[in-house]
Amino acid sequence: MLSFGKKKKSEIDLEQHELLEHAHQRIKQKKRLFSHFVIFLIGSIFLILANKVFKYGESYDWSIWIVLFWTFLITLHTFNVFVTKKFMGQQWEREQRERLVDLQKKRIGEIQKEIETDFPLSKINKKKDQ
């Protein structure tokens, strides 16, 4: 039966939303890496053709140095996507966030104890009554 006007909301709990968001971010990272790799291939071929075939700056093999530097950059990009993000991914971020929140709560508790010992509420209430 068709119902117009009222749409049923598909409820996605917080964990599923986080998983979907993480999957979306990983897809974007891998897509950028693939784009970087394609541009690297096309650019490298163009640079080598310009240097060797069209003999632009033929006296020195400058294209090799640019391609080597670019290879280093794409290797860093690949390492970042597949190694760093795997070990320091969503779970690692969650653990770090929880650890920092626990440290903050501990510090707030210590400050509250210091305030209670230095300025007890009983003394403050007595001063108000006088």
Side-chain angles (χ1 to χ4, degrees):
M1 175 179 238
L2 295 173
S3 63
F4 298 103
K6 290 185 178 180
K7 292 184 179 179
K8 290 184 177 180
K9 294 182 179 178
S10 61
E11 294 189 19
I12 299 176
D13 65 348
L14 184 60
E15 186 174 328
Q16 287 178 332
H17 179 70
E18 286 179 1
L19 290 173
L20 287 172
E21 190 67 31
H22 181 262
H24 180 69
Q25 289 175 353
R26 290 293 292 162
I27 289 169
K28 283 175 64 175
Q29 288 174 346
K30 290 179 181 181
K31 185 177 178 182
R32 287 182 188 141
L33 177 63
F34 182 73
S35 299
H36 187 183
F37 183 71
V38 169
I39 291 169
F40 164 73
L41 288 178
I42 293 170
S44 297
I45 291 170
F46 174 75
L47 289 172
I48 292 171
L49 283 175
N51 189 219
K52 300 293 183 180
V53 177
F54 298 124
K55 299 181 185 195
Y56 182 77
E58 185 183 22
S59 62
Y60 185 70
D61 288 336
W62 53 268
S63 63
I64 301 297
W65 293 106
I66 295 173
V67 171
L68 281 175
F69 180 71
W70 205 349
T71 303
F72 175 72
L73 291 178
I74 202 162
T75 303
L76 284 178
H77 191 174
T78 304
F79 183 80
N80 185 31
V81 170
F82 289 111
V83 178
T84 306
K85 294 297 179 182
K86 187 172 184 176
F87 291 116
M88 296 173 66
Q90 187 178 18
Q91 181 65 29
W92 181 82
E93 288 177 6
R94 183 178 295 128
E95 290 170 2
Q96 293 299 313
R97 185 173 37 249
E98 289 172 1
R99 184 180 63 81
L100 290 173
V101 167
D102 289 341
L103 286 173
Q104 288 175 345
K105 286 180 181 178
K106 182 180 175 185
R107 181 67 182 141
I108 288 171
E110 291 171 358
I111 291 172
Q112 285 177 339
K113 286 180 184 177
E114 287 178 18
I115 290 172
E116 289 173 3
T117 55
D118 292 344
F119 306 102
L121 286 176
S122 58
K123 288 183 180 179
I124 295 172
N125 288 336
K126 287 180 183 177
K127 288 181 181 179
K128 285 183 181 179
D129 291 339
Q130 291 177 352

